[in-house]
Amino acid sequence: MTGTSAMNDRGAARTAPDDLVDVAVVGGGAAGLTLALQLLGQRPGTRIVVLERQGHPVPEATHKVGESTVEIAGYYLREVLGLEHHLQSQQLNKYGLRMFFSKDGNDDITRRVELGHSVRPPGAVGTYQLDRGRLENALGHELLARGARFLPGTKVECVDLQPDAEHHRLHVRTDDGATRQIHAKWVVDATGRASLLKRRLGLAKKVGHRANAVWFRVGCSIDVDQWSDDPDWHARIEEGRRELSTNHLMGPGYWVWLIRLASGSTSVGIVTDPDLHGFEQLNRFERALEWLDRHEPQCAGIVRRHRDKLQDFRVMKDYAYSCEQVFSADRWCLAGEAGVFLDPLYSPGLDLIAISNSLITDLVTHALDGDDTAERAAIHNQVFLLIAEGWLSIYEKQYALMGNARVMLTKVIWDTAVYWAVPGLLYFHDVLRHLGDRPDMVVGLARFSTASQEVQRFFREWSAVDDEPRDQAPFVRFYDFDFMSRLHIGMTAGLADSDLATQFEANIRFIERLSGQLVATVLEEFEAEPWNPAKREQARRWRADEALMSLVEVHLREQESAPLGDQWIRLRPADEAVGTGESR
């Protein structure tokens, strides 16, 4: 696959100008198209060709994973790529993440514990529900308008990487059977799960996370607000509509998504732990519907009512994977799912595209401007894989927790606070591509990564023992806790470098404190039940765990001078939630 020779460069020099480019992007889905737009925005005049096997335009309601964005991806599309008009006029503003936890057979949504927003989040941290076909068609149109070459219906049959020559060589075939060669200084693989370069270079890396997904669309709105006429339940929402949330129905070892799309369709997905729900129970539409009958009967009834509007059905078995390397100074990169795919629970796919594309853009523009990028490529590669592998721990071996409403609620609040406090803050302030110059932040990220790994393990151990039913607040709002709104809005503060460093250190310290409070609170509860041998033994092990106890020490040192309420952990009903120190 790889070769070098002076003759190859001489051949490139004789190539038609249209086939001699700075960057060849293989794959014209969301990752490839957004990368090309970002490169042109950062370095106008860059010669870019995007090669896409499928024809364009794609069907408007193309059904791909990645229909929901969170804050980093929302900012990327809106601010970095300048797509706000498209997002506001052709897509839907998302009303945050919303979860309903299993209760009494799941035949009445009003009896389920609910987590979500009661008022609309601020527009500065806006997120969206995406019709992927609409988005990709708009990206292709915008790319052509900005002067790039976009060639749908073009199959890349072979890539000859030639790092010691000036250009790599791509052999392509168009739909009419014609063949040609394209010579590119840089090659970016954005082929998605086909992973063209990763497979050929032997860079695939297995992960410990195992889960399966099936999903389908129906050509109508499925509005959870219409699942009940209970006025008290409806009164929980002060502004906005539940149907515009990314709605998740949670249960032991599974979750079901409901995503409303601007085309009028609704995306329905079932994601499961294969040890608890065998893939063969779900891998056909009729089987998936029968599975819903057993686990989510209220949802199943709605789907059955609209089964004549079924538009498609897709499956992904054991979908998570990683990669040994994604960026190289040998002038190749992997973008989006061509490198890493984690899990759809918190909609991280487009976030990873945003982060990856920003690092690729920085690397390629410096190289095309004549800079030596060997060190930059190594640092960017390490930063991206550190972030991706850190996020993977959020999902790995965690699906069993989904049947424990109290533990999973607490985990979602912690995971969300961490996302806003660390990667969100860094991305909104465009720091990730400069981490090589910020050793203080690298140290902070290492501390954060250590704490995160310990807390995710703690959640698993807590859930494994604490499986007793417990009364808790029927509706938990993300902004019930002062620190959540502060961290959420704080991402957009636009801080100067010195202030950002101070805020980043404060956020890392706060996450350590929050983690210590979590451990201390659950430990206190366990030790209050000496008659329970499982809890007594688990409490003993936690007391002997130096990593967890060091987090508890951080919490105890700061609790007296700056009290922090524990309602985000205890999640008691309103009439029991006293003395928490948090506003409701």
Side-chain angles (χ1 to χ4, degrees):
M1 171 175 175
T2 302
T4 62
S5 74
M7 184 173 63
N8 286 331
D9 266 352
R10 289 196 299 271
R14 294 193 298 269
T15 299
D18 282 350
D19 290 336
L20 192 64
V21 299
D22 296 314
V23 183
V25 179
V26 185
L33 293 171
T34 53
L35 172 63
L37 283 178
Q38 188 173 1
L39 279 166
L40 285 174
Q42 183 71 28
R43 192 177 185 273
T46 302
R47 296 170 300 171
I48 300 174
V49 62
V50 179
L51 307 163
E52 167 56 33
R53 184 171 184 172
Q54 302 300 321
H56 249 251
V58 298
E60 185 176 72
T62 296
H63 199 206
K64 297 184 178 180
V65 172
E67 296 160 318
S68 177
T69 73
V70 282
E71 286 80 4
I72 288 176
Y75 180 85
Y76 177 67
L77 296 172
R78 183 179 63 250
E79 306 295 339
V80 176
L81 299 184
L83 298 174
E84 182 170 14
H85 176 72
H86 170 78
L87 294 170
Q88 296 296 341
S89 62
Q90 300 297 316
Q91 307 290 354
L92 295 178
N93 284 287
K94 175 177 167 179
Y95 189 26
L97 172 66
R98 189 170 305 276
M99 292 183 172
F100 299 92
F101 294 87
S102 289
K103 181 77 171 181
D104 299 336
N106 295 335
D107 58 1
D108 182 353
I109 198 167
T110 67
R111 295 202 299 267
R112 304 177 73 155
V113 174
E114 177 181 2
L115 169 69
H117 287 291
S118 179
V119 298
R120 294 187 186 90
V125 289
T127 56
Y128 309 94
Q129 313 281 46
L130 301 175
D131 256 314
R132 283 288 296 272
R134 280 190 178 185
L135 175 65
E136 291 177 16
N137 289 336
L139 291 170
H141 178 80
E142 185 68 20
L143 192 60
L144 292 172
R146 296 191 193 182
R149 294 170 62 214
F150 178 31
L151 303 179
T154 302
K155 179 183 179 182
V156 176
E157 296 189 322
C158 180
V159 177
D160 292 328
L161 294 180
Q162 303 178 109
D164 294 329
E166 187 176 354
H167 295 85
H168 304 304
R169 185 169 54 193
L170 297 86
H171 303 263
V172 305
R173 183 183 297 274
T174 57
D175 279 347
D176 60 6
T179 61
R180 63 199 292 187
Q181 291 184 15
I182 292 176
H183 297 262
K185 293 180 180 178
W186 281 81
V187 174
V188 178
D189 181 0
T191 57
R193 300 180 75 85
S195 303
L196 177 66
L197 289 183
K198 182 171 71 174
R199 292 178 189 275
R200 292 193 179 182
L201 294 173
L203 297 174
K205 181 179 179 181
K206 293 183 177 180
V207 298
H209 179 48
R210 295 178 60 244
N212 302 321
V214 306
W215 71 104
F216 54 90
R217 289 172 307 128
V218 292
C220 64
S221 169
I222 295 180
D223 182 358
V224 296
D225 265 324
Q226 297 179 4
W227 292 13
S228 174
D229 57 6
D230 184 327
D232 292 334
W233 185 73
H234 284 284
R236 293 178 181 177
I237 307 302
E238 298 176 28
E239 59 183 28
R241 295 148 52 196
R242 283 186 177 94
E243 72 164 329
L244 294 180
S245 295
T246 301
N247 288 293
H248 291 180
L249 310 177
M250 312 294 293
Y254 76 85
W255 58 284
V256 175
W257 80 62
L258 298 166
I259 300 176
R260 178 79 166 84
L261 302 173
S263 62
S265 298
T266 300
S267 175
V268 183
I270 305 170
V271 190
T272 60
D273 181 333
D275 292 333
L276 299 174
H277 304 273
F279 187 60
E280 68 282 354
Q281 300 177 32
L282 298 148
N283 60 356
R284 299 287 186 272
F285 176 71
E286 289 299 332
R287 295 174 183 175
L289 197 52
E290 291 172 359
W291 184 96
L292 285 172
D293 285 333
R294 295 191 299 274
H295 299 279
E296 294 290 346
Q298 192 169 24
C299 178
I302 301 297
V303 172
R304 286 189 179 280
R305 190 182 309 166
H306 299 293
R307 63 180 302 161
D308 61 318
K309 302 179 181 69
L310 180 70
Q311 295 175 312
D312 49 28
F313 184 82
R314 303 287 180 85
V315 304
M316 283 199 305
K317 185 176 182 181
D318 198 16
Y319 52 68
Y321 54 84
S322 187
C323 193
E324 297 289 350
Q325 183 180 0
V326 289
F327 311 140
S328 171
D330 287 339
R331 308 193 320 276
W332 59 263
C333 298
L334 310 182
E337 293 178 29
V340 173
F341 186 83
L342 302 179
D343 192 279
L345 177 64
Y346 292 132
S347 304
L350 284 166
D351 272 14
L352 287 175
I353 287 174
I355 294 170
S356 172
N357 282 1
S358 296
L359 294 173
I360 293 172
T361 297
D362 183 71
L363 177 62
V364 171
T365 54
H366 275 86
L368 293 178
D369 288 341
D371 296 338
D372 184 342
T373 56
E375 183 178 2
R376 188 179 298 270
I379 292 172
H380 284 5
N381 184 74
Q382 184 177 10
V383 166
F384 180 79
L385 292 178
L386 178 66
I387 292 170
E389 289 170 8
W391 281 357
L392 183 63
S393 69
I394 294 172
Y395 312 104
E396 193 170 2
K397 302 177 183 177
Q398 304 289 60
Y399 269 49
L401 279 62
M402 295 175 180
N404 187 319
R406 194 255 179 121
V407 175
M408 192 65 193
L409 269 166
T410 307
K411 171 178 161 57
V412 173
I413 294 167
W414 191 89
D415 290 345
T416 305
V418 163
Y419 171 79
W420 292 341
V422 182
L425 180 75
L426 295 181
Y427 187 83
F428 272 63
H429 286 81
D430 193 23
V431 173
L432 293 176
R433 62 193 179 99
H434 301 299
L435 279 180
D437 302 321
R438 302 299 300 265
D440 56 329
M441 289 190 171
V442 173
V443 171
L445 278 174
R447 284 171 49 198
F448 158 70
S449 179
T450 298
S452 179
Q453 294 282 349
E454 297 299 332
V455 172
Q456 297 300 338
R457 173 175 60 85
F458 177 83
F459 282 127
R460 291 194 295 272
E461 293 171 351
W462 178 17
S463 178
V465 176
D466 190 15
D467 58 355
E468 299 174 9
R470 178 181 182 275
D471 289 335
Q472 58 192 65
F475 182 37
V476 179
R477 298 163 294 193
F478 285 107
Y479 281 8
D480 277 350
F481 320 108
D482 289 345
F483 65 84
M484 292 295 281
S485 57
R486 173 171 53 81
L487 293 173
H488 198 192
I489 298 169
M491 291 188 298
T492 67
L495 301 172
D497 282 351
S498 59
D499 294 332
L500 176 62
T502 301
Q503 187 60 62
F504 179 71
E505 170 61 27
N507 282 6
I508 294 293
R509 187 71 171 178
F510 180 76
I511 293 302
E512 290 173 335
R513 181 186 179 191
L514 206 64
S515 304
Q517 184 187 40
L518 169 66
V519 175
T521 302
V522 177
L523 188 55
E524 176 187 342
E525 292 181 3
F526 275 32
E527 291 179 337
E529 299 183 24
W531 57 85
N532 186 317
K535 289 186 177 181
R536 185 173 67 246
E537 175 57 22
Q538 184 59 69
R540 184 195 65 76
R541 288 197 295 267
W542 284 338
R543 285 286 183 196
D545 190 315
E546 292 184 7
L548 293 180
M549 289 303 103
S550 67
L551 294 172
V552 171
E553 288 176 9
V554 173
H555 160 63
L556 295 177
R557 280 198 301 268
E558 300 188 19
Q559 180 67 1
E560 186 173 345
S561 60
L564 177 66
D566 62 6
Q567 176 60 9
W568 73 277
I569 307 166
R570 297 194 186 277
L571 297 171
R572 293 166 297 192
D575 57 355
E576 298 179 29
V578 295
T580 66
E582 298 290 349
S583 63
R584 294 188 66 83

